[in-house]
């Protein structure tokens, strides 16, 4: 229970940091344009009303209802992925907890952006390629945590399993077992 509370507290703090920073920027620095690291990183706020990265590239206004549905679906996938990876290997729990906290924080920040801001107030410009915010950093940290877990699992556990043991770790078998077990070990 302590671990759940700690994860929830970290999640709440991450969402608060993202949203408070956007409120401060919107009130005091909305027209700012500052070089943070020459030729690499700029502070240049912009409201992205396309609601997602792909839509921004093709300049398509994504419907709000679609983004909310995508966010709910993403939370369900994160939760199921967490359950499956926990089933595979309990030793990597710290990376999994980090994955869940950061991905959930990113999705929740995205939800707040869509519902209350009408888009994402992005403010960090990297190499004149794209502008991002803390929510995007959270999502990337969550994905990196998942990748680190998977690489560690493969190197330390999966590569040492026999063919039959590998079959026992299939996601289809896990689904058939009704996802009741949270750990195999």
């Amino acid at each position: 229970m302590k671990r759940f509370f700690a994860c929830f507290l970290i999640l709440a703090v991450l969402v608060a940091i993202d949203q408070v920073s956007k409120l401060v920027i919107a009130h005091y620095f909305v027209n700012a344009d500052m070089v943070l690291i020459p030729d690499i990183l700029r502070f240049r706020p912009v409201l992205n009303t396309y609601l997602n990265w792909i839509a921004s590239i093709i300049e398509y206004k994504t419907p709000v209802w679609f983004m909310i549905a995508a966010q709910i679906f993403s939370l369900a996938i994160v939760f199921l992925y967490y359950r499956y990876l926990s089933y595979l290997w309990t030793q990597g729990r710290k990376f999994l907890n980090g994955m869940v906290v950061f991905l959930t924080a990113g999705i929740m920040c995205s939800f707040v952006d869509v519902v209350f801001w009408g888009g994402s107030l992005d403010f960090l410009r990297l190499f004149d390629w794209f502008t991002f915010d803390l929510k995007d950093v959270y999502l990337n940290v969550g994905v990196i945590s998942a990748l680190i877990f998977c690489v560690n699992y493969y190197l330390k556990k999966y590569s040492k399993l026999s063919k039959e043991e590998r079959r026992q770790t299939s996601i289809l078998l896990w689904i058939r077992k009704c996802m009741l077990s949270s750990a195999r070990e």
Side-chain angles (χ1 to χ4, degrees):
M1 189 66 173
K2 285 182 182 179
R3 187 175 296 163
F4 174 78
F5 180 74
C7 289
F8 182 78
L9 184 63
I10 292 168
L11 171 72
V13 167
L14 291 173
V15 172
I17 290 170
D18 177 75
Q19 294 304 309
V20 168
S21 69
K22 288 177 181 176
L23 287 170
V24 169
I25 290 166
H27 280 36
Y28 301 108
F29 302 103
V30 74
N31 294 317
D33 188 1
M34 297 177 272
V35 174
L36 300 176
I37 303 172
D39 299 323
I40 298 174
L41 192 64
R42 297 182 72 86
F43 177 84
R44 184 187 297 164
V46 61
L47 184 63
N48 177 355
T49 58
Y50 294 113
L51 304 184
N52 70 64
W53 181 68
I54 295 171
S56 295
I57 292 172
I58 61 173
E59 296 182 359
Y60 172 74
K61 181 80 171 154
T62 307
V64 171
W65 67 266
F66 179 81
M67 280 306 299
I68 292 172
Q71 292 159 346
I72 292 168
F73 179 76
S74 297
L75 280 174
I77 293 298
V78 166
F79 174 73
L80 290 174
Y81 191 58
Y82 172 81
R83 291 280 308 210
Y84 175 65
L85 293 179
S86 295
Y87 162 79
L88 290 178
W89 193 44
T90 57
Q91 281 78 15
R93 190 62 59 108
K94 288 181 183 176
F95 287 112
L96 288 180
N97 290 341
M99 176 198 76
V100 168
V101 166
F102 280 99
L103 288 176
T104 303
I107 293 167
M108 290 178 70
C109 290
S110 177
F111 176 80
V112 172
D113 288 350
V114 168
V115 172
F116 296 105
W117 291 88
S120 179
L121 182 61
D122 296 333
F123 51 88
L124 296 170
R125 181 108 180 128
L126 183 66
F127 294 118
D128 265 348
W129 293 343
F130 57 89
T131 307
F132 63 98
D133 62 352
L134 295 177
K135 158 191 51 77
D136 299 319
V137 173
Y138 300 162
L139 292 170
N140 285 311
V141 169
V143 168
I144 289 167
S145 297
L147 290 174
I148 290 171
F149 174 89
C150 290
V151 167
N152 277 332
Y153 170 70
Y154 179 80
L155 293 175
K156 295 178 180 176
K157 179 87 174 167
Y158 187 81
S159 62
K160 297 173 183 167
L161 298 176
S162 68
K163 264 188 171 178
E164 182 55 36
E165 289 172 320
R166 287 181 183 185
R167 263 191 236 127
Q168 295 300 314
T169 64
S170 104
I171 194 165
L172 295 175
L173 184 62
W174 177 72
I175 290 170
R176 271 190 248 135
K177 288 181 179 180
C178 300
M179 303 173 288
L180 296 176
S181 175
S182 63
R184 278 181 0 104
E185 300 173 7

